[in-house]
Amino acid sequence: MSAGASAGQTPPRAEPSPPGAGLGLPVVDAVGAPAEAGPACITCGDEAVEVTVLALEDGDLALVDTGAGRERVSVMLVEVHVGDRILVHAGEAIGKVQG
Amino acid sequence: MKYVDEYRSPEIAAQLSAEIAALADGGHHKIMEICGGHTHTIYRHGIEDHLPDGIELVHGPGCPVCVMPMGRIDDAIAIAEQPDVIMTSFGDMLRVPGGRGSFLDAKAAGCDIRMVYSPLDALKVARNNPDKRVVFTAIGFETTAPSTAATLLRAAAEGLENFAVFCNHVLVCPAVQAILDAPGQDLDGFLGPGHVSTVIGAAPYEFVARDYGKPLVVSGFEPLDILESIYRLLQQRVEGRAEVENQYTRVVPWEGNTRALEVIDRTMVPRDAFEWRGLGTIPDSALGLREEFAAFDAERLFDLPGAVVEDPRECQCDEVLTGQIKPWECGVFGTACTPETPIGTCMVSSEGACAAYYQYGRFNRAAATAGAGA
């Protein structure tokens, strides 16, 4: 299922041991919700919560513009740059929006 | 939001609708939208009004709240009732009725239960309450599992000792297979989930086309996404093809998000079996925590009743979830069972077919009832 990583999608990372180590994971204390999606279900994010990356922060976090305000989200799983549009689900970016 | 105008153009919708009608050619096509998000879009935007009569949309099991069996809710409440526990979960979960009531009922009875938007918020609660045991009831398909997995990695890296996860993550493909294997199944094609596929990609659905001869189109969530995906499904039917196509290429890479899949694999492992509301017990259909994360696993840390609880007799969620009846055909729909006082899970989440229909579909229901009586 996970075969076939596209080039540039998955940067090299340290070999982990014990679990969670080697990722440079930080203590974060202000991770907010993604954009309020109105009547949308936050469990499954039935509407694309697309946000724009404003700034990258330590610990795989990013400050993003949700259209309704600014939030801090985790970008551990997606390689992002300032200005990218990303899809955020339950506080975690899970994909980049192309085009 | 970007794309709203591009993907909601009435002119293009009318054009697509006409092309769909031409392709359908008066025939009957039964299409299941797997994802509750699509169900929500279909009702909210009245997509069915733009389709010819022969196209029947059937709502699938893709709402994680709706497929939670009552016994798991009771287990979660049993954890919340333990001393010094702060239970956290998503808002929708708080209203799901179990055999002994919901999280909200337990909260009213004195349990410390808090709504969070993200598992990272639960982590924050744990940091701020070192003398409490903070448990996050995790639910969701592969869309939400990466967030839980990343949170587990953060908790492990921090060495947090008062944080645990009650893991109820479920997998979409085994559920689709269970539907395809059900006796009497007569579906002609599937709208594939969009955001789940951002994580798992489109490739895992290939068994649907290869082994069952059904087309599947991974679809976005805007009205034109849905219409285009239905058009593509019909095109395959007309041309006698059964393939997996990806309509939602702006966020779904064919191979998915490999980094997200990797963190899921590092922290979680498929369970031998899991009970789904409406679909019964499905092998390899859910995720539990890996042995390496036992210190964070609420199922290992707490004694759980683990009881199988029968659904209320009047509730027909199982038939709704498997597409046998439309929401309004359930005996308690909109009367005893409403979003404010749900009896069944399908009425809880806005992605649930019953809740979506209740919110947006009353006009249609009136018309359908009048039509049936005429």
Side-chain angles (χ1 to χ4, degrees):
Chain A
M1 205 181 271
S2 62
S6 61
Q9 183 91 3
T10 312
R13 71 177 69 71
E15 203 51 35
S17 169
L23 291 175
L25 297 177
V27 176
V28 292
D29 60 3
V31 175
E36 288 289 352
C41 168
I42 58 167
T43 311
C44 192
D46 65 358
E47 299 216 20
V49 184
E50 292 175 15
V51 302
T52 307
V53 178
L54 296 175
L56 298 178
E57 300 183 344
D58 285 346
D60 290 326
L61 297 174
L63 190 67
V64 299
D65 179 0
T66 65
R70 293 179 172 192
E71 303 284 354
R72 185 167 284 111
V73 301
S74 167
V75 289
M76 188 196 281
L77 307 177
V78 178
E79 183 156 12
V80 295
H81 303 280
V82 171
D84 283 350
R85 288 188 64 75
I86 55 175
L87 188 70
V88 173
H89 185 77
E92 191 74 48
I94 56 170
K96 272 170 89 163
V97 182
Q98 309 294 332
Chain B
M1 184 197 292
K2 199 183 172 192
Y3 294 132
V4 163
D5 295 335
E6 294 95 317
Y7 288 90
R8 293 185 185 176
S9 154
E11 292 77 26
I12 302 176
Q15 197 182 328
L16 266 172
S17 171
E19 288 177 28
I20 287 170
L23 272 180
D25 198 24
H28 187 254
H29 307 269
K30 194 170 180 179
I31 296 167
M32 174 176 275
E33 86 272 5
I34 297 164
C35 174
H38 288 150
T39 305
H40 189 88
T41 298
I42 287 164
Y43 285 133
R44 182 177 176 193
H45 296 280
I47 301 285
E48 284 176 317
D49 298 339
H50 295 273
L51 297 174
D53 289 342
I55 294 186
E56 184 185 354
L57 295 178
V58 182
H59 319 300
C63 159
V65 170
C66 305
V67 297
M68 273 284 278
M70 297 181 90
R72 293 294 283 188
I73 308 287
D74 289 356
D75 287 348
I77 290 173
I79 295 171
E81 287 171 341
Q82 299 305 304
D84 298 323
V85 165
I86 299 175
M87 177 58 82
T88 59
S89 197
F90 296 127
D92 280 339
M93 269 304 288
L94 269 48
R95 294 189 297 126
V96 179
R100 301 194 297 122
S102 66
F103 267 153
L104 281 183
D105 295 323
K107 189 178 168 74
C111 293
D112 191 344
I113 297 175
R114 305 182 188 182
M115 187 189 100
V116 292
Y117 286 100
S118 144
L120 288 170
D121 290 340
L123 210 55
K124 190 177 163 190
V125 174
R127 280 188 214 111
N128 294 342
N129 295 276
D131 54 336
K132 300 281 188 181
R133 298 185 286 175
V134 176
V135 181
F136 174 64
T137 293
I139 66 160
F141 284 88
E142 290 93 330
T143 341
T144 330
S147 183
T148 304
T151 302
L152 282 165
L153 291 175
R154 289 183 190 272
E158 283 179 36
L160 265 185
E161 290 178 354
N162 67 327
F163 177 74
V165 169
F166 179 45
C167 187
N168 295 283
H169 285 300
V170 286
L171 303 171
V172 75
C173 284
V176 172
Q177 187 162 1
I179 286 166
L180 283 164
D181 287 336
Q185 173 274 122
D186 58 353
L187 296 166
D188 296 311
F190 291 91
L191 292 176
H195 295 154
V196 162
S197 306
T198 306
V199 174
I200 70 172
Y205 305 111
E206 279 173 340
F207 76 95
V208 176
R210 185 188 60 233
D211 301 340
Y212 295 87
K214 314 274 186 193
L216 182 147
V217 177
V218 172
S219 175
F221 292 86
E222 290 297 329
L224 293 188
D225 288 325
I226 304 260
L227 287 172
E228 187 193 341
S229 299
I230 291 171
Y231 174 82
R232 289 202 195 185
L233 281 173
L234 291 186
Q235 210 172 25
Q236 288 202 38
R237 299 253 300 148
V238 168
E239 293 169 10
R241 292 182 290 126
E243 294 167 10
V244 175
E245 288 184 50
N246 181 12
Q247 182 272 340
Y248 200 26
T249 50
R250 61 188 188 275
V251 294
V252 175
W254 189 262
E255 72 280 3
N257 180 336
T258 48
R259 212 193 292 189
L261 290 169
E262 214 173 275
V263 297
I264 294 173
D265 186 53
R266 266 175 69 186
T267 53
M268 302 175 198
V269 63
R271 297 170 189 270
D272 291 339
F274 194 76
E275 187 199 343
W276 291 55
R277 195 166 188 174
L279 298 176
T281 300
I282 307 175
D284 302 316
S285 65
L287 298 166
L289 300 198
R290 279 195 181 278
E291 187 66 41
E292 297 92 307
F293 288 83
F296 298 96
D297 190 352
E299 283 178 80
R300 291 175 166 101
L301 298 173
F302 295 88
D303 285 330
L304 304 180
V308 175
V309 180
E310 293 290 327
D311 288 341
R313 214 174 334 147
E314 64 274 28
C315 173
Q316 293 176 270
C317 276
D318 53 341
E319 291 162 79
V320 173
L321 283 167
T322 49
Q324 293 172 56
I325 62 168
K326 301 291 182 199
W328 60 270
E329 291 172 321
C330 172
V332 290
F333 173 87
T335 52
C337 185
T338 65
E340 287 73 34
T341 54
I343 292 176
T345 45
C346 298
M347 193 56 101
V348 175
S349 161
S350 66
E351 295 197 357
C354 295
Y357 205 96
Y358 185 88
Q359 192 170 2
Y360 300 115
R362 288 179 146 184
F363 173 76
N364 291 348
R365 185 196 179 192
T369 310

